[in-house]
Amino acid sequence: MRFDIITIFPGIFESYFSKGIIEKALKKGLLEIHLHDLRDYAAGKHKQVDDRPFGGSQGMVFKPEPVFRAVDQVKK
């Protein structure tokens, strides 16, 4: 079984995959996990993947362009 995870924090996941049942499944070849850094698919000098939400709400939202590029690449 293959899992592709698109994230802006790929380092966080590595510790979870090196322990317990997930580690055992990876070693036996029952599971494949591929981490993809969303910033690798962002344009510009700073590789920015987020933007302010429209409408004046608080918080941040992902820009659609890097997300679509990442998903297209993972599908290939």
Side-chain angles (χ1 to χ4, degrees), residues 16-28:
Y16 293 109
F17 303 149
S18 64
K19 303 283 185 232
I21 195 166
I22 295 175
E23 178 189 29
K24 291 177 185 178
L26 288 168
K27 285 183 178 180
K28 289 181 179 180

Side-chain angles (χ1 to χ4, degrees), residues 25-70:
L26 288 168
K27 285 183 178 180
K28 289 181 179 180
L30 301 172
L31 185 63
E32 270 183 69
I33 299 175
H34 299 270
L35 295 173
H36 305 274
D37 189 344
L38 185 59
R39 294 185 196 283
D40 292 341
Y41 303 95
K45 179 182 175 183
H46 300 289
K47 302 289 187 182
Q48 185 176 355
V49 296
D50 56 350
D51 203 357
R52 295 189 183 278
F54 296 101
S57 301
Q58 291 184 352
M60 300 296 278
V61 295
F62 281 131
K63 291 182 177 183
E65 296 86 356
V67 174
F68 283 109
R69 280 194 286 268

Side-chain angles (χ1 to χ4, degrees), residues 4 6 36 38 41 64-76:
D4 288 280
I6 301 170
H36 305 274
L38 185 59
Y41 303 95
E65 296 86 356
V67 174
F68 283 109
R69 280 194 286 268
V71 170
D72 285 342
Q73 184 64 35
V74 167
K75 283 183 174 181
K76 292 179 184 176

